[in-house]
Amino acid sequence: FDCYPERNVVVTQELCERRGCCFLEVTHHSHSRGRGIPWCFYPPDFPSYALEDVNQTSLGLRGILRRKVKAYYPRDIERLKLSVNFETNTRLHVKLTDASGPRYEVP
């Protein structure tokens, strides 16, 4: 995930690493002579959400995910509702929604 989602900012290695993120300058393998697009992404051990209040239901599991650290996204969601339904032996239905209130969902 992009660790520097702000628009109109030239992301440098210094800015990226100041947030505790990983920086990787990607070079194009095509015919272009540009330096490539820098990438700033969250490290694998970035503390994002913690699972709380897990309950088993007749269809699967329900729980709350609480954000542990701000992730630099505008309108970041503090609490997510997790629903996991075991539909068949080989298929899960996982749904994440805002636990604080309803939002538009694609029908």
Side-chain angles (χ1 to χ4, degrees):
F1 288 95
D2 188 357
C3 188
Y4 222 105
E6 291 91 336
R7 296 184 185 272
N8 302 322
V9 176
V10 176
V11 181
T12 63
Q13 185 170 356
E14 180 184 353
L15 287 173
C16 180
E17 291 176 351
R18 199 178 300 156
R19 287 190 172 178
C21 296
C22 302
F23 183 86
L24 177 65
E25 188 164 334
V26 177
T27 57
H28 293 290
H29 297 291
S30 64
H31 299 291
S32 69
R33 295 181 182 216
R35 288 188 43 178
I37 301 170
W39 289 80
C40 182
F41 56 93
Y42 291 104
D45 61 348
F46 185 81
S48 58
Y49 285 92
L51 182 60
E52 303 175 344
D53 304 323
V54 180
N55 297 303
Q56 193 164 4
T57 68
S58 61
L59 298 175
L61 301 169
R62 298 287 181 269
I64 296 292
L65 295 164
R66 184 176 301 276
R67 176 157 294 290
K68 293 166 45 176
V69 176
K70 180 170 175 33
Y72 306 105
Y73 284 96
R75 300 184 317 249
D76 210 6
I77 299 173
E78 176 71 25
R79 292 178 51 227
L80 293 171
K81 183 169 34 172
L82 169 69
S83 301
V84 179
N85 292 340
F86 306 116
E87 293 184 341
T88 69
N89 289 338
T90 58
R91 185 176 65 213
L92 286 176
H93 181 193
V94 179
K95 183 176 180 180
L96 295 170
T97 55
D98 188 342
S100 301
R103 290 183 178 228
Y104 174 76
E105 293 185 39
V106 178

